[in-house]
Amino acid sequence: MDTAARLLRLLTLLQSRPDRPGPELAERLEVSTRTVRADVERLRGLGYPVHATSGVGGGYRLGAGAALPPLLLDDDEAVAVAVALRSAGTEAAISALTKLQQVLPPRLGARVRALQATSAAVPGPDVDPDVLGEIARSCRDHERLRFDYRVRDEAVTSRDVEPHRLVSTGRRWYLVGWDLDRADWRTYRVDRIRLRTPGGPRFEPREPPDGGFTGFVTRGVAEVLWNYRADVEVHGSAEEVACLLPVAWPVTALGPGSCLVEAGADTPHDLAVYLAALDRDFTIIDAPELREAAAQLAHRLGQAGSR
């Protein structure tokens, strides 16, 4: 092998197992241990942190460095990474996928497309990855978007928007943008967007809405999803409680041991059941319907426990 091919082979061997003795590497590469040492120095010069240990159990180990050097992936690894990046749909994932697709051999590209066509994710609205990627790029580059938007009654309206952030919640993707015609922040479901003129004029980013982009989406989704909503103080840290809640229930820390939950459900009874299932003490704030539903539930459970 010439030097370049041998370096790639050496890098593959170092990536496939944590520790490789020098003699083993020399045998696999069909060179001397002296050549292995020289090749290791070449890899270090290219930014790969290869650590060496001496002694009976010594050898070479590929470590973590300050920067991420290029990685070598076999066929199965490349296909798995491509499918995962396409499913993720974030701005960084789309950027990484674009780079990966540029170097994927045709046979692997066909495998990726076959997997995407014949596999299923958690049920949710279909989102065109190309649309998601274009929106992510516009958010990154601060370029206005014009698109047709299908609202809940199936009517279609034209929107002129400054896109700021993509947010994923409840198995859906949402775009948070400043609607120029309405002069206000708006949330748009990506699966209802049909792009018209991407790559529009550039704009200056605005300060996020109250609660940040994620909080803005969460509150908007909660208003649409639930017929009944109530504020509840739950005893527990905001981080701990948030992990137990539906994604559309906003959580605000009140202190180290309590948080305010903007809870929602179809009925007060359903909400009382959900809150009881948290297995955390809670206090109902100014919601008489929920108080009555919780009392009825407590009475019913008490009777069941005493039978």
Side-chain angles (χ1 to χ4, degrees), residues 59-89:
Y60 298 96
R61 170 189 289 267
L62 187 62
L68 177 66
L71 299 175
L72 292 180
L73 304 173
D74 63 25
D75 287 5
D76 291 338
E77 292 170 340
V79 170
V81 170
V83 172
L85 289 173
R86 194 172 182 87
S87 300

mmCIF file of all heavy atoms in Angstrom, residues 59-89:
data_model
loop_
_atom_site.group_PDB
_atom_site.id
_atom_site.type_symbol
_atom_site.label_atom_id
_atom_site.label_comp_id
_atom_site.label_asym_id
_atom_site.label_seq_id
_atom_site.Cartn_x
_atom_site.Cartn_y
_atom_site.Cartn_z
ATOM 1 N N GLY A 59 0.900 -0.345 23.450
ATOM 2 C CA GLY A 59 0.373 -0.270 22.098
ATOM 3 C C GLY A 59 -0.101 1.135 21.805
ATOM 4 O O GLY A 59 0.400 2.109 22.368
ATOM 5 N N TYR A 60 -1.088 1.232 20.936
ATOM 6 C CA TYR A 60 -1.593 2.520 20.504
ATOM 7 C C TYR A 60 -3.104 2.600 20.748
ATOM 8 O O TYR A 60 -3.842 1.631 20.573
ATOM 9 C CB TYR A 60 -1.294 2.746 19.024
ATOM 10 C CG TYR A 60 0.184 2.781 18.716
ATOM 11 C CD1 TYR A 60 0.852 1.649 18.265
ATOM 12 C CD2 TYR A 60 0.917 3.957 18.889
ATOM 13 C CE1 TYR A 60 2.209 1.673 17.991
ATOM 14 C CE2 TYR A 60 2.276 3.997 18.617
ATOM 15 C CZ TYR A 60 2.913 2.844 18.168
ATOM 16 O OH TYR A 60 4.267 2.877 17.905
ATOM 17 N N ARG A 61 -3.519 3.806 21.136
ATOM 18 C CA ARG A 61 -4.939 4.055 21.391
ATOM 19 C C ARG A 61 -5.319 5.395 20.764
ATOM 20 O O ARG A 61 -4.601 6.380 20.926
ATOM 21 C CB ARG A 61 -5.220 4.088 22.895
ATOM 22 C CG ARG A 61 -6.635 4.576 23.260
ATOM 23 C CD ARG A 61 -6.756 4.786 24.753
ATOM 24 N NE ARG A 61 -6.773 3.520 25.462
ATOM 25 C CZ ARG A 61 -7.890 2.862 25.793
ATOM 26 N NH1 ARG A 61 -9.074 3.385 25.458
ATOM 27 N NH2 ARG A 61 -7.835 1.728 26.448
ATOM 28 N N LEU A 62 -6.465 5.403 20.076
ATOM 29 C CA LEU A 62 -6.981 6.641 19.498
ATOM 30 C C LEU A 62 -7.806 7.355 20.555
ATOM 31 O O LEU A 62 -8.830 6.851 21.017
ATOM 32 C CB LEU A 62 -7.845 6.340 18.266
ATOM 33 C CG LEU A 62 -8.321 7.547 17.452
ATOM 34 C CD1 LEU A 62 -7.136 8.315 16.881
ATOM 35 C CD2 LEU A 62 -9.243 7.100 16.330
ATOM 36 N N GLY A 63 -7.356 8.547 20.974
ATOM 37 C CA GLY A 63 -8.026 9.274 22.047
ATOM 38 C C GLY A 63 -8.893 10.404 21.535
ATOM 39 O O GLY A 63 -9.085 10.587 20.329
ATOM 40 N N ALA A 64 -9.429 11.164 22.483
ATOM 41 C CA ALA A 64 -10.260 12.330 22.170
ATOM 42 C C ALA A 64 -9.394 13.573 22.181
ATOM 43 O O ALA A 64 -8.596 13.776 23.090
ATOM 44 C CB ALA A 64 -11.389 12.462 23.184
ATOM 45 N N GLY A 65 -9.561 14.417 21.178
ATOM 46 C CA GLY A 65 -8.763 15.623 21.087
ATOM 47 C C GLY A 65 -9.599 16.869 21.266
ATOM 48 O O GLY A 65 -10.792 16.823 21.560
ATOM 49 N N ALA A 66 -8.971 18.029 21.062
ATOM 50 C CA ALA A 66 -9.670 19.297 21.207
ATOM 51 C C ALA A 66 -10.595 19.563 20.029
ATOM 52 O O ALA A 66 -11.577 20.283 20.143
ATOM 53 C CB ALA A 66 -8.650 20.430 21.334
ATOM 54 N N ALA A 67 -10.288 18.978 18.872
ATOM 55 C CA ALA A 67 -11.121 19.132 17.685
ATOM 56 C C ALA A 67 -11.511 17.760 17.170
ATOM 57 O O ALA A 67 -10.857 16.759 17.468
ATOM 58 C CB ALA A 67 -10.376 19.911 16.599
ATOM 59 N N LEU A 68 -12.597 17.714 16.403
ATOM 60 C CA LEU A 68 -13.076 16.444 15.864
ATOM 61 C C LEU A 68 -12.420 16.193 14.516
ATOM 62 O O LEU A 68 -12.690 16.902 13.543
ATOM 63 C CB LEU A 68 -14.596 16.477 15.696
ATOM 64 C CG LEU A 68 -15.234 15.233 15.077
ATOM 65 C CD1 LEU A 68 -15.072 14.041 16.007
ATOM 66 C CD2 LEU A 68 -16.704 15.475 14.779
ATOM 67 N N PRO A 69 -11.557 15.194 14.414
ATOM 68 C CA PRO A 69 -10.948 14.881 13.121
ATOM 69 C C PRO A 69 -11.923 14.059 12.277
ATOM 70 O O PRO A 69 -12.948 13.589 12.775
ATOM 71 C CB PRO A 69 -9.723 14.049 13.519
ATOM 72 C CG PRO A 69 -10.146 13.361 14.777
ATOM 73 C CD PRO A 69 -11.064 14.320 15.483
ATOM 74 N N PRO A 70 -11.640 13.884 10.986
ATOM 75 C CA PRO A 70 -12.504 13.055 10.145
ATOM 76 C C PRO A 70 -12.595 11.633 10.683
ATOM 77 O O PRO A 70 -11.648 11.084 11.227
ATOM 78 C CB PRO A 70 -11.801 13.086 8.784
ATOM 79 C CG PRO A 70 -10.971 14.323 8.804
ATOM 80 C CD PRO A 70 -10.536 14.503 10.222
ATOM 81 N N LEU A 71 -13.783 11.047 10.532
ATOM 82 C CA LEU A 71 -14.012 9.681 10.981
ATOM 83 C C LEU A 71 -14.118 8.760 9.778
ATOM 84 O O LEU A 71 -14.593 9.158 8.715
ATOM 85 C CB LEU A 71 -15.305 9.587 11.811
ATOM 86 C CG LEU A 71 -15.373 10.416 13.087
ATOM 87 C CD1 LEU A 71 -16.756 10.297 13.708
ATOM 88 C CD2 LEU A 71 -14.311 9.957 14.078
ATOM 89 N N LEU A 72 -13.725 7.527 9.959
ATOM 90 C CA LEU A 72 -13.890 6.511 8.930
ATOM 91 C C LEU A 72 -15.012 5.579 9.365
ATOM 92 O O LEU A 72 -14.969 5.012 10.458
ATOM 93 C CB LEU A 72 -12.596 5.717 8.729
ATOM 94 C CG LEU A 72 -11.423 6.498 8.105
ATOM 95 C CD1 LEU A 72 -10.216 5.591 7.975
ATOM 96 C CD2 LEU A 72 -11.820 7.050 6.743
ATOM 97 N N LEU A 73 -16.015 5.406 8.517
ATOM 98 C CA LEU A 73 -17.158 4.557 8.822
ATOM 99 C C LEU A 73 -17.223 3.417 7.823
ATOM 100 O O LEU A 73 -16.968 3.611 6.622
ATOM 101 C CB LEU A 73 -18.463 5.359 8.751
ATOM 102 C CG LEU A 73 -18.557 6.610 9.628
ATOM 103 C CD1 LEU A 73 -19.844 7.379 9.315
ATOM 104 C CD2 LEU A 73 -18.527 6.239 11.109
ATOM 105 N N ASP A 74 -17.573 2.219 8.311
ATOM 106 C CA ASP A 74 -17.816 1.142 7.359
ATOM 107 C C ASP A 74 -19.212 1.311 6.764
ATOM 108 O O ASP A 74 -19.950 2.242 7.106
ATOM 109 C CB ASP A 74 -17.638 -0.236 8.011
ATOM 110 C CG ASP A 74 -18.629 -0.490 9.141
ATOM 111 O OD1 ASP A 74 -19.722 0.113 9.145
ATOM 112 O OD2 ASP A 74 -18.318 -1.314 10.026
ATOM 113 N N ASP A 75 -19.601 0.422 5.856
ATOM 114 C CA ASP A 75 -20.866 0.585 5.137
ATOM 115 C C ASP A 75 -22.064 0.647 6.074
ATOM 116 O O ASP A 75 -22.928 1.530 5.966
ATOM 117 C CB ASP A 75 -21.049 -0.572 4.142
ATOM 118 C CG ASP A 75 -20.126 -0.431 2.936
ATOM 119 O OD1 ASP A 75 -19.296 0.505 2.931
ATOM 120 O OD2 ASP A 75 -20.226 -1.261 2.015
ATOM 121 N N ASP A 76 -22.145 -0.303 7.012
ATOM 122 C CA ASP A 76 -23.297 -0.355 7.913
ATOM 123 C C ASP A 76 -23.358 0.884 8.805
ATOM 124 O O ASP A 76 -24.436 1.425 9.065
ATOM 125 C CB ASP A 76 -23.240 -1.620 8.782
ATOM 126 C CG ASP A 76 -23.465 -2.888 7.971
ATOM 127 O OD1 ASP A 76 -24.054 -2.773 6.879
ATOM 128 O OD2 ASP A 76 -23.060 -3.975 8.422
ATOM 129 N N GLU A 77 -22.197 1.332 9.286
ATOM 130 C CA GLU A 77 -22.161 2.519 10.142
ATOM 131 C C GLU A 77 -22.600 3.759 9.376
ATOM 132 O O GLU A 77 -23.346 4.596 9.886
ATOM 133 C CB GLU A 77 -20.753 2.707 10.699
ATOM 134 C CG GLU A 77 -20.327 1.639 11.697
ATOM 135 C CD GLU A 77 -18.849 1.715 12.034
ATOM 136 O OE1 GLU A 77 -18.095 2.316 11.230
ATOM 137 O OE2 GLU A 77 -18.442 1.178 13.072
ATOM 138 N N ALA A 78 -22.152 3.890 8.127
ATOM 139 C CA ALA A 78 -22.507 5.052 7.325
ATOM 140 C C ALA A 78 -24.013 5.104 7.070
ATOM 141 O O ALA A 78 -24.640 6.165 7.153
ATOM 142 C CB ALA A 78 -21.750 5.031 5.999
ATOM 143 N N VAL A 79 -24.610 3.940 6.767
ATOM 144 C CA VAL A 79 -26.054 3.892 6.522
ATOM 145 C C VAL A 79 -26.819 4.255 7.796
ATOM 146 O O VAL A 79 -27.782 5.033 7.767
ATOM 147 C CB VAL A 79 -26.466 2.495 6.021
ATOM 148 C CG1 VAL A 79 -27.990 2.360 5.996
ATOM 149 C CG2 VAL A 79 -25.908 2.253 4.627
ATOM 150 N N ALA A 80 -26.385 3.708 8.942
ATOM 151 C CA ALA A 80 -27.070 3.991 10.209
ATOM 152 C C ALA A 80 -26.998 5.473 10.553
ATOM 153 O O ALA A 80 -27.992 6.074 10.988
ATOM 154 C CB ALA A 80 -26.449 3.154 11.334
ATOM 155 N N VAL A 81 -25.843 6.090 10.354
ATOM 156 C CA VAL A 81 -25.685 7.511 10.664
ATOM 157 C C VAL A 81 -26.558 8.356 9.740
ATOM 158 O O VAL A 81 -27.219 9.310 10.174
ATOM 159 C CB VAL A 81 -24.204 7.923 10.542
ATOM 160 C CG1 VAL A 81 -24.058 9.439 10.612
ATOM 161 C CG2 VAL A 81 -23.392 7.273 11.655
ATOM 162 N N ALA A 82 -26.592 8.034 8.452
ATOM 163 C CA ALA A 82 -27.388 8.804 7.503
ATOM 164 C C ALA A 82 -28.875 8.744 7.839
ATOM 165 O O ALA A 82 -29.575 9.773 7.824
ATOM 166 C CB ALA A 82 -27.155 8.298 6.085
ATOM 167 N N VAL A 83 -29.376 7.566 8.163
ATOM 168 C CA VAL A 83 -30.792 7.420 8.501
ATOM 169 C C VAL A 83 -31.115 8.182 9.782
ATOM 170 O O VAL A 83 -32.143 8.871 9.883
ATOM 171 C CB VAL A 83 -31.170 5.936 8.644
ATOM 172 C CG1 VAL A 83 -32.585 5.784 9.189
ATOM 173 C CG2 VAL A 83 -31.054 5.236 7.297
ATOM 174 N N ALA A 84 -30.241 8.098 10.773
ATOM 175 C CA ALA A 84 -30.477 8.791 12.041
ATOM 176 C C ALA A 84 -30.461 10.307 11.848
ATOM 177 O O ALA A 84 -31.293 11.023 12.410
ATOM 178 C CB ALA A 84 -29.423 8.377 13.068
ATOM 179 N N LEU A 85 -29.527 10.818 11.061
ATOM 180 C CA LEU A 85 -29.453 12.261 10.822
ATOM 181 C C LEU A 85 -30.685 12.755 10.086
ATOM 182 O O LEU A 85 -31.231 13.817 10.393
ATOM 183 C CB LEU A 85 -28.198 12.592 10.014
ATOM 184 C CG LEU A 85 -26.858 12.459 10.735
ATOM 185 C CD1 LEU A 85 -25.707 12.654 9.761
ATOM 186 C CD2 LEU A 85 -26.747 13.461 11.877
ATOM 187 N N ARG A 86 -31.145 12.001 9.108
ATOM 188 C CA ARG A 86 -32.326 12.419 8.354
ATOM 189 C C ARG A 86 -33.562 12.412 9.239
ATOM 190 O O ARG A 86 -34.450 13.263 9.104
ATOM 191 C CB ARG A 86 -32.537 11.505 7.150
ATOM 192 C CG ARG A 86 -33.531 12.054 6.138
ATOM 193 C CD ARG A 86 -33.553 11.204 4.890
ATOM 194 N NE ARG A 86 -34.453 11.742 3.894
ATOM 195 C CZ ARG A 86 -34.133 12.650 2.986
ATOM 196 N NH1 ARG A 86 -32.906 13.135 2.973
ATOM 197 N NH2 ARG A 86 -35.015 13.083 2.108
ATOM 198 N N SER A 87 -33.640 11.483 10.181
ATOM 199 C CA SER A 87 -34.780 11.417 11.088
ATOM 200 C C SER A 87 -34.749 12.555 12.098
ATOM 201 O O SER A 87 -35.792 13.049 12.516
ATOM 202 C CB SER A 87 -34.797 10.070 11.827
ATOM 203 O OG SER A 87 -34.889 8.995 10.907
ATOM 204 N N ALA A 88 -33.540 12.961 12.510
ATOM 205 C CA ALA A 88 -33.417 14.006 13.523
ATOM 206 C C ALA A 88 -33.956 15.334 13.018
ATOM 207 O O ALA A 88 -34.745 16.006 13.671
ATOM 208 C CB ALA A 88 -31.963 14.166 13.960
ATOM 209 N N GLY A 89 -33.532 15.740 11.824
ATOM 210 C CA GLY A 89 -34.099 16.922 11.201
ATOM 211 C C GLY A 89 -33.656 18.260 11.759
ATOM 212 O O GLY A 89 -34.145 19.290 11.321
#
